[in-house]
Amino acid sequence: MDIKGDLVNVKTHIQEKLMALYELTVPIGQLSTRELNERMLEITEQLGREVAVYISRQGRILQVALGDAATVDLPQLKQKTRSDKRLSGIRCIHTHPTGDVRLSEPDLSSLRRLRFDCMAAIGKRDGRILGSIGVFSGETQDDGTPGLLVYGPAPDTVLHQVNLSMMVTAVNKKLSEETTQTTDDRPERAVIAGVERMQRGIWGIEESMDELERLAETAGAVVVGRFSQRRERLDSALFLGKGKVNEIAMEIQNLDADLLILDDELTPSQQHNLERMLGIRVIDRTALILDIFAQRARSHEGRLQVELAQLKYNLPRLGGQGLVLSRLGGGIGTRGPGETKLEVDRRRIHTRIHDIEEQINGMKKTRALYRTRRQKSRMPLVALVGYTNAGKSTLLNRLTGADVFAEDKLFATLDPTTRRLELPEKKEILLTDTVGFIQKLPHTLVTAFRATLEEVTEADFLLHVVDAGNSNAEPQIEAVIEVLKELGADEKPTLFVFNKTDCVENEYDLERLTRYRDAVCVSAATGANIDILLNRIECFFKAQSVEAELLVPYSDGAVITELHALNAVKETEYVEDGTKITASIPEAEIARFEKYMLKK
């Protein structure tokens, strides 16, 4: 009998079985699987020795170890450097050959020392697979050591129902409370997530997520992870699918994240459910944009408009006693009225909304007076509109020599700025810079900023500024047009100004964008083609005017004053019968001067 050969064959067979364990995976959030348990116990029955596997939060088996009848050596696992106030991100499952699955003191000691997500023991008794698990409680015992909780013995089918994601999240939250850092200590670490639906439109999920990441960075967060999911319908309870939420829960612990940002607006119940499951703060795109506006609003009116939008957004999300506005304390998606630390109930919130609306209406009346004066002066108004960060403020500075704040960030401009602009043939107009638009612009913001955006509705001519170097230029144009429709300004005469042409590498892309559009290509940064843009603006107003020669008797001097008020006078000559004037008169005003016009 070749005993040595048989031993070699057995050893090879066992090694193959151990190696085969690496091919198995465990669903995210689940402790183990029946197949994994059975294979481990099969090896234990053949050898009478302990088998241990070490599993990551993603369900991947990192290492397999074989021990003796009483214990198994703990291997040196390659782990990320992490805080001693957080769990390791690895769980250990091992067999007990005796069938007694109670966790031993060495098991619990290893759990504490290596800070496993959990320690589990499995075994067979009367043909059934049983198990026990030990986890951190998140509390500290009197002797200073971390407290543990032990569950079992119980059938493995019961243990597999334990939601490991929620358990780990809850423990990590407790463990980190002692060393919780404020937003002043470090930027918030954010995970972003979105859903790609079957009929999403011209915005792809990746482009929308890229923009969401940029919004988060503008607000001051550091994006440490991103997730997306394809679904026909949004989950009514969690927005995302439950499996994806479990996956995110695990990654939140691995990435040490403290904020989840969703790419669409959440219902109050979805937000509450996600926060309960994940143990961190959850906000949506709307709250994020509101936060950026809260940071960047400079004028009194701008601050009031942001506060109004925030109150209307948060009102349905405030529940329970106290309805504490101050839950919005100093962080992304939380700036603004919450920083006053006032606790108000619904009645007082409604009162505050009413007060702000009254103040904004008062400012609206003041602006209407200025507008009336401008209309009396007959000075044309041109409004710059466009997607956020398209370069509107830089273009205003280039055209008028103004010194308006311009920065390569989203929503650098919130407060409208109006400056005089002299066209090449000395005609003067007013040029207004407006707040940038964005896809999924919160309706509460459009409503709150309606008074400011009236400059758009009152303008004679719109310059739709587009970032020509942006790969999403076409979807951005559509997003701006949608907001203009909401404002009732989509039928205004419009000239497309494709800006940042110095950043365009492919001339074909530029040609494709300008095709079938009344457009000018410029670079506000370098000044390229600015003269062409000025001529196009002048041509527009010339087309709206009638060139005429008038003879105004000296007795009707008030008529000449009216022509000057319209900026219509080009040349003046004093003759025997009166003042001979060459003028460019707006079509709407021509009837007033017909009796003085000379026939050609």
Side-chain angles (χ1 to χ4, degrees):
M1 178 182 291
D2 187 1
I3 298 177
K4 186 175 180 180
D6 289 343
L7 288 174
V8 169
N9 289 336
V10 170
K11 186 176 179 181
T12 302
H13 178 66
I14 295 300
Q15 284 179 335
E16 288 175 352
K17 285 195 170 186
L18 289 171
M19 293 303 295
L21 294 178
Y22 284 103
E23 299 173 4
L24 302 180
T25 57
V26 178
I28 291 175
Q30 187 172 307
L31 175 67
S32 183
T33 64
R34 171 55 68 93
E35 183 181 7
L36 176 59
N37 293 347
E38 288 178 343
R39 289 201 191 183
M40 290 172 64
L41 289 170
E42 182 183 347
I43 298 170
T44 293
E45 288 173 358
Q46 288 181 3
L47 299 180
R49 299 167 69 177
E50 284 195 9
V51 177
V53 294
Y54 301 88
I55 307 172
S56 72
R57 288 183 181 154
Q58 290 71 40
R60 187 167 58 89
I61 295 177
L62 302 174
Q63 200 153 340
V64 178
L66 187 64
D68 56 28
T71 186
V72 62
D73 291 333
L74 293 169
Q76 295 298 313
L77 291 163
K78 293 180 180 178
Q79 301 178 38
K80 298 176 184 176
T81 302
R82 53 196 310 115
S83 164
D84 61 359
K85 290 293 181 183
R86 302 184 74 81
L87 302 182
S88 67
I90 297 170
R91 59 188 178 274
C92 173
I93 302 174
H94 66 290
T95 60
H96 279 185
T98 62
D100 181 356
V101 296
R102 291 174 296 177
L103 293 174
S104 64
E105 274 307 314
D107 290 337
L108 299 177
S109 176
S110 299
L111 173 61
R112 283 194 181 95
R113 182 162 55 86
L114 294 177
R115 306 189 73 78
F116 287 130
D117 284 0
C118 78
M119 171 69 79
I122 59 172
K124 254 189 182 177
R125 187 184 301 165
D126 301 327
R128 290 197 311 156
I129 301 177
L130 302 175
S132 295
I133 61 173
V135 296
F136 285 91
S137 67
E139 310 294 339
T140 302
Q141 299 184 118
D142 294 338
D143 60 1
T145 59
L148 300 177
L149 296 174
V150 178
Y151 301 93
D156 66 336
T157 52
V158 173
L159 296 181
H160 293 166
Q161 294 173 13
V162 173
N163 190 322
L164 201 59
S165 300
M166 290 184 64
M167 185 181 294
V168 169
T169 298
V171 173
N172 264 337
K173 186 179 179 182
K174 287 184 178 180
L175 289 173
S176 62
E177 279 176 355
E178 300 172 18
T179 56
T180 298
Q181 294 172 298
T182 67
T183 52
D184 293 332
D185 298 323
R186 67 162 194 179
E188 292 195 73
R189 294 173 61 82
V191 169
I192 60 175
V195 171
E196 180 177 18
R197 279 163 282 180
M198 302 307 180
Q199 297 177 339
R200 189 176 180 90
I202 57 178
W203 282 91
I205 182 65
E206 288 306 316
E207 290 83 1
S208 190
M209 292 289 284
D210 287 343
E211 183 175 85
L212 183 66
E213 181 170 347
R214 189 143 188 237
L215 284 168
E217 290 168 350
T218 298
V222 175
V223 176
V224 295
R226 59 192 284 173
F227 297 86
S228 62
Q229 183 179 36
R230 186 174 176 84
R231 292 177 66 91
E232 287 189 22
R233 290 190 302 271
L234 298 178
D235 187 282
S236 59
L238 295 170
F239 183 82
L240 300 161
K242 191 172 181 181
K244 181 61 69 172
V245 173
N246 281 332
E247 181 184 345
I248 292 173
M250 284 301 188
E251 279 303 304
I252 281 171
Q253 310 309 319
N254 289 333
L255 299 168
D256 194 17
D258 39 35
L259 176 67
L260 172 65
I261 306 173
L262 276 302
D263 192 35
D264 290 275
E265 187 165 328
L266 299 173
T267 65
S269 61
Q270 286 171 337
Q271 183 175 355
H272 172 75
N273 292 339
L274 284 171
E275 287 183 339
R276 182 174 54 82
M277 283 192 69
L278 299 174
I280 62 171
R281 200 151 51 84
V282 177
I283 65 170
D284 55 25
R285 175 185 272 257
T286 298
L288 182 61
I289 293 174
L290 287 171
D291 181 77
I292 296 170
F293 272 56
Q295 293 180 55
R296 294 183 171 270
R298 294 290 178 265
S299 69
H300 178 56
E301 182 176 9
R303 291 181 181 277
L304 284 176
Q305 288 168 328
V306 173
E307 183 177 351
L308 177 63
Q310 285 184 315
L311 287 170
K312 287 184 173 180
Y313 171 78
N314 283 300
L315 185 59
R317 289 165 171 77
L318 296 172
Q321 349 176 7
L323 299 172
V324 186
L325 260 184
S326 57
R327 76 185 283 270
L328 309 177
I332 294 176
T334 65
R335 271 169 276 252
E339 293 179 357
T340 62
K341 305 298 184 186
L342 295 177
E343 296 183 352
V344 293
D345 57 15
R346 287 190 186 278
R347 180 182 58 80
R348 291 186 62 191
I349 295 174
H350 281 296
T351 301
R352 179 60 180 157
I353 289 174
H354 176 73
D355 290 344
I356 293 174
E357 288 176 336
E358 287 293 312
Q359 292 183 60
I360 290 176
N361 285 334
M363 294 174 179
K364 181 178 177 181
K365 291 175 183 176
T366 303
R367 191 180 289 105
L369 288 175
Y370 285 118
R371 191 177 298 119
T372 301
R373 289 178 191 171
R374 177 182 62 77
Q375 288 169 345
K376 284 182 179 178
S377 72
R378 309 299 197 279
M379 189 170 286
L381 177 65
V382 176
L384 295 168
V385 298
Y387 210 77
T388 180
N389 203 40
K392 296 182 295 299
S393 298
T394 305
L395 184 60
L396 178 77
N397 291 340
R398 172 66 67 175
L399 290 170
T400 65
D403 190 23
V404 174
F405 176 73
E407 188 179 5
D408 187 21
K409 281 191 175 179
L410 305 183
F411 299 115
T413 301
L414 291 188
D415 302 308
T417 304
T418 302
R419 294 288 185 272
R420 283 176 180 261
L421 171 62
E422 188 177 275
L423 296 174
E425 295 187 11
K426 306 304 179 184
K427 183 178 181 66
E428 284 192 337
I429 65 170
L430 293 176
L431 187 63
T432 294
D433 186 16
T434 61
V435 61
F437 303 151
I438 198 168
Q439 66 142 340
K440 305 175 189 173
L441 186 66
H443 181 74
T444 50
L445 269 180
V446 176
T447 305
F449 275 74
R450 187 172 291 278
T452 301
L453 293 171
E454 278 179 356
E455 296 297 332
V456 175
T457 61
E458 294 293 329
D460 301 295
F461 190 39
L462 300 183
L463 297 182
H464 184 158
V465 184
V466 181
D467 180 356
N470 194 303
S471 59
N472 294 317
E474 198 69 55
Q476 289 181 354
I477 291 171
E478 294 301 320
V480 172
I481 291 173
E482 283 304 309
V483 179
L484 289 175
K485 283 180 181 176
E486 189 170 349
L487 294 170
D490 56 311
E491 298 297 327
K492 291 271 181 187
T494 302
L495 174 66
F496 286 90
V497 181
F498 287 91
N499 189 26
K500 305 186 184 182
T501 52
D502 53 312
C503 300
V504 176
E505 296 178 359
N506 189 337
E507 290 298 324
Y508 172 76
D509 290 340
L510 193 58
E511 192 274 331
R512 178 177 48 80
L513 285 170
T514 56
R515 190 186 304 157
Y516 310 124
R517 287 191 173 108
D518 188 14
V520 174
C521 299
V522 305
S523 170
T526 66
N529 293 340
I530 291 298
D531 54 337
I532 297 176
L533 173 60
L534 288 169
N535 286 327
R536 289 299 307 274
I537 297 172
E538 191 158 58
C539 286
F540 169 79
F541 287 108
K542 273 187 177 180
Q544 310 301 310
S545 303
V546 175
E547 297 290 325
E549 283 192 347
L550 298 89
L551 181 62
V552 181
Y554 289 119
S555 59
D556 292 347
V559 173
I560 299 175
T561 303
E562 289 180 25
L563 286 168
H564 278 291
L566 289 171
N567 292 298
V569 178
K570 298 174 71 175
E571 292 181 10
T572 302
E573 181 184 353
Y574 298 100
V575 297
E576 184 178 345
D577 297 332
T579 306
K580 191 175 181 181
I581 297 172
T582 302
S584 179
I585 305 171
E587 282 186 347
E589 306 290 340
I590 200 71
R592 294 167 52 197
F593 304 101
E594 275 185 340
K595 69 178 183 177
Y596 301 107
M597 293 174 60
L598 297 173
K599 294 181 180 179
K600 295 184 179 178

